[in-house]
Amino acid sequence: MPNFDQIVQLIADDLGAVEAKLTEQTASEYSFVDMAVQHVVKGGGKRLRPILVVLSAKACGYEGSDAHTLAAVVELIHVASLVHDDVLDEASIRRGRETLQTKWGNKVAVLVGDYLHARVLSMLVSRRAEDPAMEILADTTQAMCEGEVIHAYKSGDFDITEDEYLKIISFKTGKLIAASCTLGAHLGTTDERQIAALTTYGQQIGTAFQIVDDLLDFVVAPEKLGKNAFGDLREGKLTFPIIVARSYCDDAEKDKLEHVLNPHTDEAAAIAFVQSLFQRYDVGPHCLTVAQTYADRAKSALQALPDTSARTALEQLANYVVSRDS
Ligand code: FPP
Ligand code: MG
């Protein structure tokens, strides 16, 4: 079965065009602005969302260059959201590099996120007036913000349920991944059934992606992860694995978990306690099973599409999202 790199190879020319578009559309004539912007735009991401736009477009029969513009647009929304997310999370490392606010402070980071949004708007307004992308992306950005606000609001709520959390991540992560697929589909077809199938596919792999993202925070070495390991735990952030672990805990363990999630407690002891709970209650496998359920739903949705190599690549991407280790 092809791995992620082989899928990337399949659409290498398209991804090259997307990179060129990203460079062309984000360049600033002011050298510091350009340096700070390129630090994040060329930050070494997987380009999952552009891949999804291109494959979704191809799966619906579209081969033109408009997919490259939309792929660049969704990637810029994603990069902007991560820049702001790293301010919210006070994260120091992203994709193996210092975050913007570590390098240049919160003000620069917030403004670079805003700059990228301005570029997104500019790229969108230069497109056709009847283009659905404007509305889709406005709704998507709103939902991402809503997801992050609810997550921040609920950050101290230990009684948050798995379902409540899954709803939050379907907004903060699932919406943009779904929109990437919807936009690609619109390029190739007007068949609402196919467009809806790709939207569902994106929404489902988006949720799977974030569950795995949450898990990797606890299980992967920081060199591989490209960000601070145990970052969520250090911050006292309630993420999917912690919510799962807590659901199995007895009252004494719940009290201790609540105590170690206080960012001021001894970090090493917190990590050791959480790891012991993960072992005892098989938290890792549980999270992967839930993520796989979402990936399987995503693959079923693809049955509405014609059997093409792009559809096969999308099926493989759904598996990759669960099996990835970085
Ligand atoms: C990463 O989550 C963050 C997101 C998936 C969404 C961030 C959204 C916003 C900041 C809302 C504003 C949106 C825009 C478009 C500016 P994480 O912290 O769980 O993942 P991480 O471990 O990679 O940091
Ligand atoms: Mg974060």
Side-chain angles (χ1 to χ4, degrees):
M1 174 196 297
N3 59 26
F4 185 72
D5 293 338
Q6 288 165 318
I7 295 173
V8 166
Q9 217 39 54
L10 217 86
I11 53 168
D13 289 349
D14 295 283
L15 294 177
V18 174
E19 289 306 317
K21 197 52 106 184
L22 284 168
T23 307
E24 166 202 311
Q25 288 296 330
T26 57
S28 166
E29 60 184 294
Y30 303 101
S31 64
F32 176 72
V33 177
D34 202 51
M35 178 171 61
V37 168
Q38 298 315 320
H39 182 79
V40 286
V41 172
K42 306 274 163 60
K46 292 182 280 295
R47 306 301 198 215
L48 174 64
R49 291 151 190 83
I51 290 169
L52 289 169
V53 174
V54 168
L55 286 177
S56 298
K58 285 186 192 298
C60 294
Y62 180 84
E63 292 286 345
S65 63
D66 218 11
H68 307 147
T69 307
L70 287 174
V73 162
V74 293
E75 185 65 9
L76 290 179
I77 295 176
H78 174 57
V79 172
S81 79
L82 292 183
V83 168
H84 284 179
D85 179 71
D86 285 338
V87 174
L88 296 170
D89 289 351
E90 298 177 27
S92 58
I93 304 281
R94 156 89 55 197
R95 296 169 173 169
R97 290 144 58 100
E98 281 181 303
T99 53
L100 278 188
Q101 81 272 9
T102 303
K103 243 172 139 52
W104 292 297
N106 277 353
K107 291 179 190 175
V108 166
V110 168
L111 293 166
V112 166
D114 292 343
Y115 173 91
L116 292 172
H117 266 298
R119 295 308 308 142
V120 164
L121 290 176
S122 163
M123 289 166 81
L124 286 174
V125 294
S126 64
R127 293 166 47 77
R128 306 179 301 275
E130 74 278 14
D131 180 14
M134 199 77 175
E135 189 180 356
I136 291 170
L137 289 172
D139 290 350
T140 298
T141 309
Q142 178 177 335
M144 290 170 75
C145 294
E146 287 164 341
E148 282 282 274
V149 171
I150 298 167
H151 200 192
Y153 180 71
K154 288 259 177 191
S155 64
D157 180 359
F158 283 90
D159 291 324
I160 187 169
T161 63
E162 274 188 31
D163 283 350
E164 282 173 318
Y165 184 75
L166 288 168
K167 175 94 183 154
I168 289 172
I169 63 178
S170 79
F171 268 56
K172 77 169 202 177
T173 307
K175 290 281 182 183
L176 185 57
I177 291 184
S180 306
C181 298
T182 316
L183 292 171
H186 270 292
L187 291 176
T189 185
T190 51
D191 179 339
E192 290 299 336
R193 214 170 62 94
Q194 291 190 11
I195 296 169
L198 277 161
T199 305
T200 303
Y201 165 86
Q203 187 65 57
Q204 301 295 320
I205 65 160
T207 300
F209 184 91
Q210 186 64 45
I211 292 170
V212 174
D213 192 75
D214 287 356
L215 182 61
L216 291 177
D217 193 64
F218 293 95
V219 296
V220 173
E223 316 82 76
K224 186 128 207 180
L225 196 57
K227 48 194 175 189
N228 313 88
F230 302 108
D232 293 339
L233 181 61
R234 281 177 226 274
E235 219 202 307
K237 209 162 146 185
L238 293 170
T239 60
F240 196 68
I242 294 286
I243 295 165
V244 168
R246 190 176 184 276
S247 71
Y248 292 114
C249 285
D250 60 27
D251 285 347
E253 287 169 336
K254 276 186 185 154
D255 285 349
K256 182 152 182 201
L257 183 60
E258 214 162 301
H259 174 74
V260 302
L261 282 170
N262 179 334
H264 304 296
T265 53
D266 174 358
E267 246 174 53
I271 290 170
F273 178 65
V274 167
Q275 282 179 326
S276 74
L277 289 180
F278 278 28
Q279 283 278 320
R280 185 167 325 139
Y281 296 124
D282 267 341
V283 170
H286 179 117
C287 292
L288 290 176
T289 303
V290 177
Q292 190 61 54
T293 309
Y294 281 93
D296 290 344
R297 279 188 213 144
K299 286 188 281 183
S300 312
L302 294 178
Q303 296 313 308
L305 295 164
D307 185 4
T308 58
S309 56
R311 189 184 86 173
T312 307
L314 288 168
E315 282 162 3
Q316 287 154 350
L317 264 184
N319 292 334
Y320 157 78
V321 159
V322 180
S323 63
R324 74 202 171 97
D325 61 1
S326 64

